[in-house]
Amino acid sequence: MKLKSMLALWVCKASGAVLRRMGRGGTNLPGKLALKMDRDILGALAQGVRVTVVTGTNGKTTTSRMIEQAFEDAGLKYFSNKSGANLLTGIIAEFARHTSLSGKRLYTHALIECDEAAFRTASKYLPVECLVVNNIFRDQLDRFGEITHTLNSIRIGVKNVPGATLCLNADCSLTASLADDCPNKIVWFGVNVPIYENAAHELSDAPYCIHCKTEYEYDYITYGHLGGFHCPHCGYCRHTPDVAVTKVLRAGADASEIELTVFGNAHEVRVNLPGGYNIYNAAGAAAAAHVVGITDETAVEALAKFECGFGRAEQFMLGSASSRMMLVKNPAGFNQVINLIAHGDGAYQLAFLLNDRFADGTDISWIWDVDFETLAAQKERFSPIYVSGGRADDMALRLKYAGFDADTLHLLRENDALLDEIGKAETPAFLMPTYTAMFDLREAIGKRTAVKAFYE
């Protein structure tokens, strides 16, 4: 390792250690400092490490946690950026943390969740063995712009890793198009059947053929624009998955039970999280484990016992109320949370927390594309309903127009007050924060109950 790289490594490790002792995580600033000293530091740190990358719009963190459990059970010597710091600087900090002061690589494998836009740069330096692309949806319009910009960023990244095996979602017409002009080996994953009998109404982010602009036809839709698509004009269509969910046996409020076929071998699998999107995450994780060389039996057993990432269906006891936190950040993801709640039974407290900071996306117009009407049609099940966050008034207005009665919406801007009110009732609660609201809320919850720090 060059002297410049060694100095960057030492600064990165030292600043990260200080920040962690301060309880700050040290997930981005150390990487920024290292990058200023050596712009090629990531390549130096990653040399000789077998890297698995997970990218895409929705499900990166949860898919990574599923794969991580398989890595652990298989006995691989690995590390991961489980803090969710998935930009270039966060990835650098994670590699530095797991490299010795002498520059020796301490692990054989790395599991990296990578932001879609950051992947085009990070891919220049990472020796990627396996790349999972979950899906591509409209997200943070102020940052990503049109959905094709996200697709093109990932496409550029794919061209930087010609030796990687790609695990692509066969049901996403955008993701599947990455295979059009790349030499990489491809493992397809997907869901062969509908997940919900009656799903939330959604606007498709990709209604027209990416090749000829003809409107797609579908044999079935799982959610959003995912499903059995085909173009009646040019013939572009869904690939038959190598790793496929062939039956959805149960989609419950705590977990899902599925039949998962991996290269022709069927397994009954319990996915240790609820929601149709986690069924997709499970298929993607099984595909990645297969590519890395982990036995299918180890991979499917891992799906039943992995721990969810912070804010991704985490459960807490708030006073007398069993509460589940569901991160929401775009229409497609929010609609899947709505599907989960709407297909459940019994009464719930609901809390919607909307922020518009940079990490959330400053444009909140996306909330008008979320199908809150499906919940409003069952509004007798939900009481009380809380609204919080920096844009609480906008969320309250959206819920009012969806059909909720204005006098049932309780606006509470302070997290402590919100948690106090939720804890007074025995009715279980769903907490639905955007990204920065999740961090704020989780910090407040951490003062009341034992939770791991977000970077642990």
Side-chain angles (χ1 to χ4, degrees):
M1 189 178 287
K2 296 178 181 178
L3 178 60
K4 179 172 65 173
S5 299
M6 289 297 296
L7 292 173
L9 168 64
W10 295 340
V11 168
C12 192
K13 289 180 73 70
S15 58
V18 170
L19 289 169
R20 282 190 295 276
R21 285 187 65 87
M22 296 170 60
R24 303 252 324 261
T27 54
N28 276 305
L29 180 59
K32 289 182 180 179
L33 296 175
L35 196 59
K36 284 184 178 296
M37 298 180 69
D38 180 5
R39 63 183 303 170
D40 299 320
I41 182 62
L42 181 57
L45 295 172
Q47 188 173 3
V49 181
R50 296 173 62 183
V51 179
T52 296
V53 172
V54 181
T55 193
T57 306
N58 292 330
K60 294 185 291 294
T61 298
T62 301
T63 302
S64 296
R65 298 292 71 75
M66 291 174 172
I67 298 172
E68 181 176 3
Q69 187 66 58
F71 275 24
E72 181 177 330
D73 292 351
L76 300 185
K77 195 172 184 181
Y78 77 95
F79 67 90
S80 67
N81 59 336
K82 65 173 58 183
S83 68
N86 58 19
L87 300 178
L88 180 63
T89 51
I91 295 170
I92 290 171
E94 204 64 54
F95 269 89
R97 184 181 175 191
H98 294 92
T99 301
S100 74
L101 283 170
S102 64
K104 182 180 179 180
R105 285 79 183 170
L106 302 176
Y107 297 83
T108 58
H109 291 73
L111 173 59
I112 300 298
E113 170 192 336
C114 189
D115 173 85
E116 309 90 281
F119 180 61
R120 63 189 295 169
T121 301
S123 59
K124 297 177 182 178
Y125 305 103
L126 294 175
V128 180
E129 173 185 31
C130 174
L131 170 66
V132 182
V133 185
N134 269 351
N135 48 60
I136 298 173
F137 284 99
R138 179 164 46 103
D139 189 36
Q140 293 189 26
L141 294 177
D142 54 303
R143 178 165 173 252
F144 290 108
E146 291 296 327
I147 196 169
T148 51
H149 295 172
T150 302
L151 175 62
N152 289 336
S153 289
I154 297 176
R155 191 181 301 280
I156 291 169
V158 168
K159 291 181 178 179
N160 291 332
V161 292
T165 297
L166 310 185
C167 297
L168 301 182
N169 188 340
D171 300 357
C172 176
S173 58
L174 297 169
T175 301
S177 73
L178 294 170
D180 290 345
D181 56 357
C182 71
N184 304 65
K185 180 181 178 181
I186 296 171
V187 173
W188 297 98
F189 67 91
V191 178
N192 289 355
V193 293
I195 295 173
Y196 294 110
E197 186 174 336
N198 297 298
H201 173 72
E202 300 180 76
L203 296 174
S204 173
D205 287 341
Y208 301 108
C209 178
I210 193 169
H211 298 296
C212 71
K213 310 308 178 187
T214 302
E215 187 172 3
Y216 288 121
E217 294 178 354
Y218 282 83
D219 298 323
Y220 64 93
I221 294 176
T222 52
Y223 75 92
H225 61 272
L226 307 188
F229 70 90
H230 65 273
C231 174
H233 183 260
C234 73
Y236 176 59
C237 63
R238 175 185 188 258
H239 291 262
T240 300
D242 304 297
V243 179
V245 176
T246 50
K247 293 180 183 178
V248 177
L249 305 173
R250 184 178 75 91
D254 58 339
S256 295
E257 295 172 4
I258 60 175
E259 182 179 273
L260 182 68
T261 300
V262 184
F263 286 87
N265 298 313
H267 307 266
E268 285 199 5
V269 179
R270 182 180 187 273
V271 181
N272 194 31
L273 275 184
Y277 46 96
N278 286 317
I279 292 175
Y280 271 104
N281 295 339
H290 184 92
V291 169
V292 174
I294 297 171
T295 66
D296 298 339
E297 290 73 21
T298 298
V300 298
E301 288 173 8
L303 299 175
K305 63 180 183 179
F306 77 96
E307 293 185 3
C308 58
F310 62 95
R312 279 75 171 181
E314 274 187 298
Q315 288 188 287
F316 314 93
M317 283 303 299
L318 299 177
S320 301
S322 174
S323 305
R324 192 181 283 273
M325 185 185 295
M326 312 289 292
L327 171 67
V328 292
K329 58 179 185 174
N330 54 43
F334 214 142
N335 281 331
Q336 290 313 294
V337 174
I338 288 172
N339 275 332
L340 171 64
I341 298 171
H343 284 81
D345 297 317
Y348 289 98
Q349 302 181 73
L350 302 180
F352 302 90
L353 298 90
L354 178 65
N355 278 358
D356 63 349
R357 301 174 197 165
F358 176 77
D360 305 290
T362 56
D363 181 348
I364 63 162
S365 62
W366 61 271
I367 65 174
W368 292 90
D369 292 333
V370 179
D371 187 19
F372 295 110
E373 285 76 8
T374 288
L375 292 182
Q378 304 178 18
K379 58 186 177 183
E380 66 279 356
R381 292 178 53 205
F382 310 122
S383 180
I385 300 168
Y386 299 107
V387 186
S388 188
R391 299 301 290 269
D393 296 294
D394 298 85
M395 180 59 79
L397 180 66
R398 175 66 185 97
L399 295 174
K400 177 183 175 182
Y401 275 96
F404 287 98
D405 299 327
D407 57 1
T408 66
L409 303 176
H410 304 275
L411 195 148
L412 293 174
R413 298 190 185 277
E414 298 297 326
N415 284 328
D416 285 332
L418 173 63
L419 298 177
D420 285 343
E421 291 300 316
I422 290 173
K424 290 178 181 178
E426 296 184 359
T427 307
F430 275 99
L431 315 177
M432 291 164 277
T434 55
Y435 193 71
T436 64
M438 175 188 69
F439 279 94
D440 294 343
L441 185 62
R442 203 171 181 276
E443 182 179 0
I445 291 173
K447 297 175 182 177
R448 299 166 180 251
T449 186
V451 297
K452 291 182 179 179
F454 71 91
Y455 50 85
E456 294 180 342

